[in-house]
Structure formats: C-alpha cells, structure tokens
Amino acid sequence: MRRLPLQDLAYIPYSSLSSLFWSLSTASMGVKEQVDSVVKSEEDLRQYRALVLENNLKVLLISDPKTDKSAAALDVHIGSMSDPRELPGLAHFCEHMLFMGTEKYPCENEYNKYLAEHGGSSNAYTAADHTNYYFDVAPEAFPGALDRFAQFFLTPLFTESAVDREVNAVNSEHEKNLQNDYWRLTQLEKATADPNHDFSKFNTGNKETLDAIPKEKGINVRDALLDFHKKWYSSNIMALSVLGKESLEELQAMVLELFSEVENKNVTVPEWKSHPFGPEQCRKYGQVVPVKDIRNLYITFPIPDLHPHYKTAPGHYLGHLIGHEGPGSLLSYLKGCGWVNSLVGGQKSGAKGFAFFVVNVDLTEEGIEHVQDIVTAVFQYLNLLRREGSQEWVFEECKDLSAMTFRFKDKERPQSYTCALAEQLHYYPLEEVLCGGYLLSEYQPHLIDMVLTHLLPINIRIAVVGKALAEKATDVEKWYGTQYKMDDIEPERLEEWEKAGFNELLKLPTKNEFVPTNFELFKDEKKGNTLPEMISESPLARVWFKQDDEFKLPKSVVYAELFSPLAYLDPHHTNLLHMFAQLFRDALTEYTYAAELAGLVYSLSNTKYGLTLNVKGYNDKQHVLLEKVMERMTSFTVDPKRFEILKDAYVRALRNFRADQPHQHVVFYTSLLLAEHGWTKEELLNATSELTVEALEAFIPRFLSNLHIEMLVHGNATRDSAMHMSTIIQKHLTEKAHTKPLLNSQLTRQREYQLKDGSSLVYQAENAVHRDSAIETFFQCGMQGTHQNMLLELLCQIFAEPAFDELRTKEQLGYIVWCGVRRANGTQGLRIIVQGDRHPQYLDSRIEAFLHKMGERLDSISDEEFMRHRDALASRRLERPKKLAHLTSIWWAEITSNQYNFDRDTIEVAHLKTLTKQNVVDFYKACIASFAEERKKLSVQVVSVSPGGAGDVERSGEPSTQPDDGLSQPPPLPEAEHISDISEFKQGLPLYPLMRPFTPFTKTSKSKL
C-alpha cells in the first residue's frame, strides 16, 4: 500500500509565526488566555479564536455564518491505558455511560432524542490515552444541544439500572469484534508487551471484566465509574472545539456559561517514559493464525514519541521514503520478487511518551516462505538511507506538498472537523492547532538520524500472520482466543541482518513531476447555471459538465463509466472483469504513486455494469494522468506472474466472505434475494477454475469492443477542457481498441423483484465464525418517487432514534441496531438491522413489537413533535456537501441510476414541507402495520452456529419468541413462508419496471431534470 497519512504519522508545524497576535489577558471573565490569530489556510473563510478558560479548559471557537450544521467535540486526555488493573475496560464503559442521563437531563435518551429531532447525530470513542465525544445538530438547536452535552462533564448520573444494562452493550461490542483479525492482532500486540506497562491492558472490556469478576471480588462497578469520572474528568486535561453560525463573541459566551463550572482537579496528563516494548520484548518472532485467510508480515520498532518534533516530522520523512511505491522503491523490489502485494510504512502512534515505527506488507503465497529475505530487504533500504544521508530536497518536497495540501484543504464536515481539532488542541500551541499537522518548518537531519538509530535488528519485532502457521502456533491469547507463538530471534539471524549491506536495485525516489504549478481558477463561464448539463451526446458517449462555482479550489473530478452487457453476464465474466481491474491498478502503481503524493488520484473499479474510472484532485496535470491511464488500458498486456498472485488474493477474498460480520451477511442476502441478477460467493468461487491468463487476454479486447460511455466533469474546468478529457477517453478507445457503440436496447440496468401484497417471507443462512446472529427485517414499499421518497424518509426519521433506544438501550438486543431506508434498482423500503446474541426469530418478534408500538405512537404524536421531525429531515437533506468530490459523487449517482435528478434535495424537501402527520400515518397503515394489506415483509436471518451461538446444537430447545419479563407482546402475525431455494423463489415473482429519468432530456435541456 503506502506510507501512513501525514496527519496520522506525525504532527507538523508552521515556520514563521511572528505575525501572530497573542493576548495573555482578556476582558472576558473566566478566560485566562486568548489567541485571535490562529494560523489558517488562506482559502479558509471561517473565523477562529482559541481560549484557555480560568479552569484551564482549552477551547477552539469556529464561527462559520454559512454553515448548515453546528458541531462540538470534547476530548479528555485520558483513555483506556488509565483503567484500574482490576477493571479492564472501565474508561470505555465510562464513555458509554455519559450518554445515559445527567442531573439536569435525567432521561436516558434525552441527548440523542434532542439531536434526532433537530437533524443531528453523535458518537464517541475511547483511545489509549484520550476519549473523544462529539455531535452535530441543526444550527438553531445548537445552544440546547451544547447544554445537554456539557452535562456529561458536570453531573452524569451513572444510575444502577443503566449500569446493569449498558454493560451488555459493551459486551456486545466486544463480541462483535471477537473474530475480527484487526482487533485480535491489536490485542495480541498488547498481550506480548511488557506486562507491567499500561499498554498491555485489555482495553475494551466485556461482561466478565466489568460485571462477573468485580462481583466475585466485591467491587461495585458503579462506584468505580463515579470514582474514575471524579478522578480523571478534569477541565485542565480537556479540550473543546465548537463550530456554529454565531459570532466568536456569542460562541465564547455560550461556552463560558456552560463549561466554566467543569471542575479543575489539577490532574497531570499521564506520560509513559518507558516503552511497552523494552529489551525483553524486542528481537521476537511471532507466528499468528488469523480468522480470515490472510497473509501479512508486521515489522515493528519501538521509537520515542515524535510529537515534540512536529516541526521536522522525522517519522513522516522516513515513512515517505520507506512507504514509497515508485521505481526503485522497497515495494517495487519486493513485488518484483513476487513476495508482496502492498506495503505500508511509517510512524504509528502509541500514547504520550512512546510510539512505533512499522513496515507492514501483504504477503503472497511465495512471500510467506521468504520472510527473512523481506526483512533483509528492509534493512538494506534502511542502510541506503543511512549511506545517502538526510536529503534536504526530499524534506523540501514533503514540506511543499504538505503546505499545498493545507492551503487548498477541502472543507470538512463540522462533526469530523471539531472531533479532530479537539484532539489536536492537546498537541500544538493554540495558534498552530489548525496548521500543526501540515506545515513543516525546521529541517533537522539529526532528528531523522535519531529515528534511524532505533530501526536496528536489535530492536525488531516480527509477526507473521497466516493460516499455514496453525501447527506452530501453540499459545492462546486470553481475551480473543488468538492462536500464536512468540519466539526469540536467533542471534545468527540478527547478525545477518546487521550485515545486510546494500541492494543495487533499491534507490531513492526522483523528484515528483506531478507536483502542480498552476493553481489559477477558471472564470465562471455561465453564471447562474447551478447544475450539470449535457454538453455532448453521440451513439458512443454522453458527457455532462458543471464548472465549480461553490468550492473555488484548483481541483476537479472526472467520472467515466464504460458500460458493457458483458460485465455481469455470468460469474465467469464477472470474475474476468474483476481481474482486469485488479491487474490494471497493480500494473500502474509505480507511475501513479507520484501523482497520488501530489494530490491527484485515480481509481478503476468493476461494477455490475462495467468499469468506473475516477480521476480527481488538482486539475493542472489531470489530463496527463488520464492520457496515461487510457494508453495503458487500450494496450494492456497480462503479466502471468502477477495474474496468479492476484487471482490467489481474489479467491481468498471470496472465501473470506464466510468470516464477514453477520450484519454484512444479511445485507448481502437481501440484495441477492431481490435483485434481478446476483451471483453468490460460491458461484463466483466455482467459476474461478475457468479464470486463466488466456481467458483474460481474450476477454479484454472483447469487453472494450462495444461500450457506452457516460461521463461527468465537475470542478475547476471549462467546457473545452471537459471535452478534451472526453476526447482522450474516446480517442484511445476508438483508435486503439476499435470500440463501437452499443445499441440503445443494450443499455438496460437491473430491476428488482416485487414481493406479493400480504407476504411474510423468511430466508435463513448460517454463520459458523461469529457468536452473534443478525437479522434484516425489510418492508418493501414500492417504486421510488418524490412523494414516496419523502413519506418513507420521514417515517424513518421518526422511527430511527426510538428504535435505537428501545431495541439497544432498553432491551439490549445487540450493539448494532439500525433503522432506515433501503433503496435499490429504483425500489425502496424500510429496513431494520439488529446484530446480537439472541436468535433471529426472537429479534424478529421484538422488531414487530417495536413497530406495533410505534404505530400506536404515530397516532398520538403531537403536531409540534411532527414538525420537529419534518424540519430535522429537511435540515439533514439540505445540508450541502463540504467537499467538491462529495457533490460530484451525488450527481454521479444520479447519472449511473439513469435518474438525472440533479436538484433532488431541493425538489424533494419542497414536497416534504407539504406532508402532514396523517400522510405518514396512512403510509404506515398501508405498508408497515401488521394488518396492512400492502405489507410485503422479507426477514433475512443469519443464525450463528459457532460454539455458544444462538443456533449452536448444544443449546437446548427451540428458539423462543416469548418476550423477556416486562416487554410488550408483538401483534398477531401471519405464519411466515420460508425460502429454501432462491432461484425457485424468484421464478414466481414479477419485476418492478425500470425507473424513467426524472425529466426526459436533450442536449440543451441543461438540468431541469
């Protein structure tokens, strides 16, 4: 793969801050320090102010009068590494509990209910040394949301009842991750660290650590939660970021009123000066058995915390070189040997006081036999870096690219922006909180050399992951049950690596020719034209264009769909197209990596309809990259060695579907049951026996011979430049691949099967990997259309928060509970997804009881509450995309669905405002209610048959649908019909028609579509 992103690797600063105004005193009561000149991008029109309150709480205020969402986040500089030894997971449990009632707002779901009724959302996460809480909401509701949020840090309740129930949610979250290789490997890293170091703790917690064991030891967990919050939740180690429409003065007044009373306990932020991988934990060779059929090599070195050196970012410098993918790179050499497919290298954060430097590769079948050789190559590349010494031009290139990224940074969604900035307040001076992660200013070779001194054989830790290691892995990790074996590396092997020498095939990268130099914005060609318009149409291609007049950045996005009926003709053709896309991307890596570093990326992916090509980023050299992509596509030759390696990876990916999460399975099976055509993973897997180099070589020219091209250019471009991009694609295809247009009758897309009125269907599948089971209960509601779309979305808006509160918070059915709209192939419906340890039959009965209860509630909902929901949905739908590429993707979805309703949000929200409560009640009674004549229910159930799962034969008796004590009964329901054969099931059903374009169009119709 690639080096880790700059912001994740290291934190990097600004060179000259002499122009900043720093005020150490302010007239505002309750403020100790104020910074009014926070360094920001010259393209950033928002206003900023940084504060330190009298209680030492750090605050960043962001005033954005044009924002359509307000947001806030608070980051506490304490995390799971500060769990008491006797209560693993307590910090994470505390994070869960803060959502469940405060003295001022005691109702458990008050916070989430308020946000849901005002177009908002929230979440939180617990990391090793910090915990982050964040939300967004409609601007007019921001004061009320911030008030409810502030109470988390003032007077949380931690009620006995909530503690007893929410421990199940923490446990369900852990159960969800038990068979996830990422979580298993992360915990194994902790388990093999210094056992006396806080890094070694089990950080998520489960019912055993937070309920059963404490009870055995006489520990009151509620008291421990109160003590933890009282000890660590101190204002002097908190950082708050708020973004709103209000002026800086108004935001400041709001924050002072709500957060000045957060107590300052003068807590010292924990710092770990010793490393969890000390001398005893280094020079280790681990062998690990994964759940999925994956093969990876992880090389880790302990290094110091590099945050203090953010102005040089030595970790980023080294990651840039070690993770490079161009000619002469470590990846290029290892791929050439046939040992790896991808590589990621760079600094990995640990906690305050320590960090890691990693080189991780995805191994081929041959590569797992050459681990020692791969490690040798890593040391040979490190030796090259030492011999050549620090290169100032490399630092300057990284500096220039990072400065360019900061200058032309896309605007973020307010929620994610405040979430990130609240954490950054801990790491940078207040005036540098925005730029600290981007702007390098101090070239200090000795810091780069310092990091290199840690990247030696004496400090290495190696972990090899693969199914083939099962016989050697005789130990078992305590919390996840991961099979592994950890051995010392032989002294002779370490000596070989110390004498690895040099490899003449490894070289430093050359200067990046893709760095843009022209940032000029094109003048607005057609003022007032706010939507894409068709600028060219021929039998072969249709081109849509919209010059950006909103984001005003020197960037553009190009999409092109190469549509072919061959793409999904049968499993064999599906596999062939997948392999073409995979091999193509693989072959272009060396060339396109430089463009990617310079902010210009491309992707090529296969879909049911053909290939989708996407090129986005700085527009200056976009045509150069597109020309190269099309040149290679139309003259592509298959590399037999890479074909076999990537075919093996594809086959393993198909087999690994069995280990995906149960909720992913129910979504897959629902689509399989309802789509006109769909291939199972088994069908695709069986067809791989026909997947050969010869078959692919014959397929590529056949695929390219007859196509239809649909294209969209959006951004800093003109009609002429858009047509030039179109010409590049069409010229290469027609002249080199001799592409001819498809017939109109060949341009049809998939349809959806129509369930019968009054039907109640069940499809069951098994999952033998996870202990959790899952269900998707789907109610088909017919074709999409403006009126139907808004009715369904408004119903889901009203149902979504109560579904979470009832099914997860109160009934504790599982960590994953989701209620919303499912749309596919022009149709739509209501879906509720639950994953947990109960049998899906029981989950289905609880979903039915919930829907019945909501039907009664709909009748009694007040006009005021109905209006709040209607306004919340309107607010969410009218929220503008913050990034150019996001807006382009919305318009592209309109094109690929053949809808062309480019102004959908405005049109549908206008209709939404005409809907009444009675409209929604009537819709519920027609399509969802248990007695509805048009009800079309499909319940897709994935039952766990793994040990301890709901379908485990060791469990006694049939699954019960009798509700737990105190819960309501579901309404009387017709007996469900079970689907045993998907093909047979589909034979008896009609298909919905294809969706027609929103408005018939011509070349001059622009987009009143």
Side-chain angles (χ1 to χ4, degrees), residues 637-749:
T637 54
V638 179
D639 178 335
K641 188 172 182 180
R642 294 302 298 164
F643 175 88
E644 292 303 330
I645 288 169
L646 293 178
K647 178 185 173 181
D648 166 67
Y650 178 50
V651 168
R652 284 186 290 126
L654 290 172
R655 287 188 180 134
N656 285 335
F657 172 74
R658 59 180 283 279
D660 281 352
Q661 289 281 340
H663 72 267
Q664 294 171 302
H665 281 187
V666 293
V667 170
F668 173 80
Y669 288 125
T670 301
S671 295
L672 194 65
L673 284 157
L674 295 173
E676 183 178 5
H677 301 295
W679 316 127
T680 66
K681 303 298 179 183
E682 291 78 11
E683 288 167 338
L684 293 170
L685 199 53
N686 292 337
T688 57
S689 60
E690 305 171 56
L691 202 50
T692 63
V693 171
E694 294 75 23
L696 184 57
E697 285 175 334
F699 168 77
I700 294 170
R702 198 155 52 89
F703 172 81
L704 296 175
S705 66
N706 291 89
L707 296 171
H708 175 74
I709 303 163
E710 194 91 37
M711 190 169 174
L712 170 64
V713 179
H714 172 220
N716 189 36
T718 63
R719 282 166 164 261
D720 288 345
S721 64
M723 286 306 302
H724 178 57
M725 302 290 260
S726 169
T727 301
I728 289 172
I729 293 175
Q730 292 187 58
K731 188 176 179 185
H732 278 284
L733 286 169
T734 55
E735 293 183 2
K736 288 192 177 178
H738 310 294
T739 306
K740 292 183 171 54
L742 292 166
L743 301 171
N744 279 340
S745 58
Q746 293 178 288
L747 303 182
T748 55
R749 295 186 182 253

Side-chain angles (χ1 to χ4, degrees), residues 172-189 202-204 288-294 296 298 465 467 477 479-483 656-664 767-772 815-816 835 946:
S172 181
E173 185 176 352
H174 172 63
E175 289 277 328
K176 171 182 72 73
N177 300 328
L178 272 176
Q179 300 302 315
N180 181 300
D181 285 312
Y182 168 80
W183 285 94
R184 293 164 74 88
L185 292 166
T186 298
Q187 181 56 37
L188 187 59
E189 188 174 47
F202 169 46
N203 60 345
T204 55
V288 187
V289 182
V291 174
K292 290 189 172 183
D293 188 2
I294 56 175
N296 293 311
Y298 298 95
V465 179
K467 288 281 193 185
E477 190 276 323
W479 298 110
Y480 288 80
T482 307
Q483 275 183 265
N656 285 335
F657 172 74
R658 59 180 283 279
D660 281 352
Q661 289 281 340
H663 72 267
Q664 294 171 302
N767 187 311
V769 175
H770 297 271
R771 258 203 316 250
D772 275 357
Y815 179 71
I816 295 173
Q835 177 174 311
S946 76

Side-chain angles (χ1 to χ4, degrees), residues 9-28:
L9 280 179
Y11 298 95
I12 322 143
Y14 189 44
S15 49
S16 75
L17 299 170
S18 56
S19 62
L20 294 177
F21 169 73
W22 174 272
S23 171
L24 293 174
S25 64
T26 176
S28 301

